[in-house]
Amino acid sequence: MSAAMPSMPERAHRAADARGAGERSPRDPRAGLPHPAAWRVRGNQWDAILTGGSPARTLALQLPGNPLDAQWDARTLEPALAECVRIAGTGVAPPLLIAWSGTFADSLFGGDMRNWMRPGWDALQQRLDSWRGRLEGAGVRLALHPHATHLLSDVAGAMRLLVDRADQPFSVICAPAALLTPEMLGDGAREGTRGRIAEARDVREHLLRALSVLGPRTPLCVLQDVRIAGGTRDRLADTHARGRGADAADRRSDDAGDSALEPCAPGTGALPWDALMALVSEHVPPHVPILAE
């Protein structure tokens, strides 16, 4: 590469900065993806994450709910494992299972101080130990989807889990937006969730950390835009409802009700989408599917 030509991340950073402070327009989440695209098909028990051509392959089953709930194993995990065994019986590799790491809070995305202290880490280890034998017996891997309000809430914790359980059937989903808090977005985001230069440069450091550490180690990269919760909830519901039905929108809206941040259409939130794509290209292996929504 010529010394005079900016790198891909530098070009993306300039493009993001050049958009200025005006309102941002929605983006096609799959436009320009540097990797195979994945997409979500919503179901009554779980969501299927598909990838590939025709016919599409079921890459993963994303399980709803809080794994710390007493009935979660019987109501959610066991039926999903049975489905994986059924699929494997047809001669197809069983899909990955994706689950939240869980929370002590009453609502799925409600914060609880115990989540980020020793009781939270101990509770997560107990759940993993209880699942390990069943997963290995079924030949299925489970990937935890981290979130800033959950037991697995940051890059350091995710990396510790991957190292400690390297020989066990567990993975971690690379979902950089889910690890953010309002304080990570910068002053511009807190003031108006608009694409200001200070905001973009601040949040890029956190996106880089998540993607550079977890990107090379993930079976699936999940990309979302986010904004401060309590904004225009009608627009959020409309975004989720398009192509998915009102029931799906209601479920997502209920799940996200206590979040400090909420997902929104790519290009309308606080994240510099072009820079995010450039970081994915640099740090996530090209065979890893991307679920952008």
Side-chain angles (χ1 to χ4, degrees):
M1 178 181 294
S2 170
M5 180 178 295
S7 67
M8 181 179 296
E10 289 171 339
R11 294 198 301 272
H13 293 177
R14 293 178 186 179
D17 292 346
R19 284 199 293 271
E23 292 292 337
R24 303 166 72 189
S25 300
R27 304 281 297 273
D28 178 353
R30 297 183 198 170
L33 284 182
H35 293 228
W39 63 95
R40 181 188 304 275
V41 176
R42 295 195 177 272
N44 293 328
Q45 289 183 285
W46 46 67
D47 292 351
I49 308 301
L50 307 182
T51 190
S54 181
R57 176 173 68 95
T58 301
L59 173 69
L61 305 179
Q62 183 161 359
L63 309 184
N66 181 5
L68 292 193
D69 289 344
Q71 299 302 315
W72 189 83
D73 281 20
R75 292 179 178 175
T76 303
L77 179 61
E78 294 297 345
L81 280 173
E83 175 65 9
C84 290
V85 171
R86 185 196 67 78
I87 291 174
T90 67
V92 178
L96 178 75
L97 295 182
I98 301 174
W100 299 108
S101 60
T103 176
F104 283 110
D106 293 334
S107 59
L108 184 55
F109 294 105
D112 187 302
M113 287 298 296
R114 292 173 294 175
N115 291 348
W116 311 303
M117 302 172 70
R118 180 62 182 266
W121 185 256
D122 289 347
L124 177 60
Q125 301 315 304
Q126 292 170 7
R127 300 306 290 134
L128 297 179
D129 288 340
S130 72
W131 297 333
R132 179 181 176 183
R134 283 175 283 178
L135 291 167
E136 290 176 339
V140 175
R141 294 186 65 83
L142 185 144
L144 294 176
H145 192 310
H147 191 276
T149 64
H150 284 180
L151 304 183
L152 196 62
S153 61
D154 57 23
V155 173
M159 192 60 203
R160 178 183 174 187
L161 185 147
L162 290 173
V163 171
D164 290 350
R165 297 185 178 266
D167 60 344
Q168 299 178 23
F170 301 108
S171 303
V172 175
I173 296 299
C174 180
L179 296 175
L180 298 175
T181 66
E183 293 74 21
M184 294 178 179
L185 300 181
D187 292 337
R190 287 198 292 272
E191 291 173 10
T193 64
R194 294 190 287 188
R196 301 180 182 180
I197 294 176
E199 162 202 325
R201 288 177 177 167
D202 181 71
V203 76
R204 275 199 292 264
E205 297 178 7
H206 302 290
L207 298 175
L208 171 61
R209 176 169 169 75
L211 285 161
S212 62
V213 174
L214 300 179
R217 300 168 174 86
T218 189
L220 174 69
C221 184
V222 178
L223 299 183
Q224 290 180 313
D225 206 344
V226 292
R227 65 186 179 195
I228 305 296
T232 308
R233 299 305 299 255
D234 289 343
R235 183 169 66 177
L236 175 68
D238 289 343
T239 298
H240 292 312
R242 284 197 296 268
R244 302 176 184 177
D247 290 343
D250 289 343
R251 179 172 61 177
R252 175 66 67 86
S253 180
D254 289 342
D255 283 351
D258 293 327
S259 268
L261 294 176
E262 62 188 8
C264 59
T268 66
L271 302 189
W273 197 258
D274 290 336
L276 181 59
M277 287 289 195
L279 290 171
V280 170
S281 296
E282 184 175 0
H283 295 289
V284 181
H287 67 274
V288 175
I290 298 177
L291 175 63
E293 53 185 8

